[in-house]
C-alpha cells in the first residue's frame, strides 16, 4: 500500500449554514496559499472545498485535494489551483483539467455564479485593455469574458457613469485590437456595423457559451436627445448582448460604442477623450482607409470583441 507524505489534508464543508472543522472555503484557501509545494486546491459546486500540500508530486496533491473534497461531501469537485497558480488548459502535466462545472466559477477560493440575465460585449483597444459600458460593471461583482471555451478575468480600471463607459484590464493579453476612428465629424447616413454576442443554448457546456453576431445599418441621428453631441443613433438591430459592442464604419474603424437597446452609441471622439484621461494607449487610423467587405469586418471584429460574463458571489 502506497503512503503519501502529506503534511495535512485540509477540508471544509459549507451547506445550509453548517461547516466542518470550523473553516470556511475562503479561510482554507488562505491556508493553502501559505503551504509548501506540492499543493492543490479543489472546490465543489456546493461550496465544499478540499486542499492538500506537501505531497511528493503535484499530481498526488491534485488527487488528494480531489479525494478530500469528495469525501467531505463535495459535488463535482474541481481543482482550480496547483502550487499557487491557477490551473491552465495549456498545462500538459495536469490531467482532467476543469475549473468550472454547472456554471460555478472559482476565483481566489470564492465561488461565483454567472448572472445570465446580464449580457454584454467588450472590445480590445490595445493588447490588454478593453472597453464596455458602465452599466454592466455596476451590476456585477466581477467581470470575466469567454474566449475559446475559457473564462478570462478582468479588473475594472475606471468607470465613467455620465458617459456610460468603462475600461477593463484583461489578465491575458489579446492578440488583436480595434482601430479607433480619428474622424472629428459624424455624418448622417454613414453605414455602420456592430459586432456583439448572444448567449447560446449549447447543451452540457461547463461555462456560458456565446455566438457572435454582426448587424448593419446607418447613422440615423448625428446627436442624441436635446442635441447631445456625445451621442449618435444607429439603425442596426440591437439586442441586450450588443450593449458595449463596437460600432464600426465601412473602413473597419470603430466610430462608437453601443450604450443601450434604444440604439444610442457614444461617439469615438468621447472614447478617445476618456482613454487619454486615463493615459491608456490606443490605435487610430494613420491615413484614410479603403472600405472593406462586411465579411472582413466580421472576421476582424470577432478577434477583438468578446462576450462579457457578469459574476456575483454564489
Amino acid at each position: 500500500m502506497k503512503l503519501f507524505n502529506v503534511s495535512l489534508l485540509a477540508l471544509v464543508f459549507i451547506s445550509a449554514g453548517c461547516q466542518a472543522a470550523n473553516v470556511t472555503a475562503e479561510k482554507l484557501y488562505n491556508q493553502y496559499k501559505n503551504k509548501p509545494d506540492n499543493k492543490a486546491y479543489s472546490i465543489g459546486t456546493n461550496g465544499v472545498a478540499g486542499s492538500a500540500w506537501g505531497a511528493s508530486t503535484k499530481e498526488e496533491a491534485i488527487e488528494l485535494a480531489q479525494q478530500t473534497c469528495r469525501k467531505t461531501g463535495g459535488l463535482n469537485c474541481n481543482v482550480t489551483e496547483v502550487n499557487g497558480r491557477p490551473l491552465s488548459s495549456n498545462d500538459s502535466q495536469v490531467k482532467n483539467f476543469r475549473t468550472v462545472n454547472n456554471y460555478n466559477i472559482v476565483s481566489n477560493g470564492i465561488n461565483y455564479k454567472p448572472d445570465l440575465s446580464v449580457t454584454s460585449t467588450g472590445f480590445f483597444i490595445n493588447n490588454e485593455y478593453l472597453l464596455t459600458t458602465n452599466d454592466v460593471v455596476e451590476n456585477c461583482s466581477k467581470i470575466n469574458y469567454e474566449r475559446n471555451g475559457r473564462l478570462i478575468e478582468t479588473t475594472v480600471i475606471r468607470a465613467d457613469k455620465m458617459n456610460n463607459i468603462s475600461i477593463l484590464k484583461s489578465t491575458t493579453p489579446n492578440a488583436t485590437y480595434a482601430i479607433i476612428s480619428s474622424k472629428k465629424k459624424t455624418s448622417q447616413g454613414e453605414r455602420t456595423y456592430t459586432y456583439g454576442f448572444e448567449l447560446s443554448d449549447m447543451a452540457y457546456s461547463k461555462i456560458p457559451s456565446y455566438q457572435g453576431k454582426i448587424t448593419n445599418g446607418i447613422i440615423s441621428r448625428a446627436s442624441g436627445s436635446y442635441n447631445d453631441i456625445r451621442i449618435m443613433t444607429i439603425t442596426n438591430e440591437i439586442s441586450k448582448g450588443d450593449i458595449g459592442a463596437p460600432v464600426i464604419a465601412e473602413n473597419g474603424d470603430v466610430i462608437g460604442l453601443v450604450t443601450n437597446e434604444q440604439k444610442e452609441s457614444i461617439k469615438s471622439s468621447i472614447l478617445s477623450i476618456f482613454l487619454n484621461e486615463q493615459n491608456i494607449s490606443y490605435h487610430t487610423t494613420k491615413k484614410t482607409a479603403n472600405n472593406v467587405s462586411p465579411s472582413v469586418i466580421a472576421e476582424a471584429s470577432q478577434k477583438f470583441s468578446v462576450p462579457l460574463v457578469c459574476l456575483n458571489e454564489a
Side-chain angles (χ1 to χ4, degrees), residues 129-142:
Y129 292 89
L130 57 158
L131 286 172
T132 188
T133 65
N134 173 72
D135 288 343
V136 66
V137 169
E138 283 196 331
N139 290 316
C140 309
S141 299
K142 285 176 65 67

Side-chain angles (χ1 to χ4, degrees), residues 20-31:
N22 196 29
V23 181
T24 66
E26 186 174 2
K27 286 181 180 177
L28 176 65
Y29 179 78
N30 289 332
Q31 291 176 13

Side-chain angles (χ1 to χ4, degrees), residues 10-14 23-29 40-52 62 64-70 72-81 87 98-102 104-112 314:
L11 49 87
V12 62
F13 176 72
I14 306 168
V23 181
T24 66
E26 186 174 2
K27 286 181 180 177
L28 176 65
Y29 179 78
Y41 180 86
S42 174
I43 192 164
T45 56
N46 60 344
V48 178
S51 182
I62 289 169
L64 288 167
Q66 287 284 77
Q67 288 179 14
T68 305
C69 181
R70 289 193 293 263
T72 318
L75 300 177
N76 299 313
C77 293
N78 294 288
V79 172
T80 60
E81 282 196 15
L87 210 55
R98 294 195 306 168
T99 57
V100 182
N101 196 291
N102 297 334
N104 278 256
I105 290 101
V106 180
S107 177
N108 291 330
I110 300 174
N111 253 352
Y112 291 91

Side-chain angles (χ1 to χ4, degrees), residues 297-312:
I297 290 174
E299 183 179 3
S301 301
Q302 187 179 37
K303 294 176 181 178
F304 63 69
S305 302
V306 291
L308 300 181
V309 182
C310 174
L311 300 178
N312 289 305

Side-chain angles (χ1 to χ4, degrees), residues 143-155:
I143 306 290
N144 283 10
Y145 65 90
E146 186 271 339
R147 175 71 90 188
N148 298 326
R150 293 178 57 209
L151 289 185
I152 299 174
E153 294 192 35
T154 73
T155 301

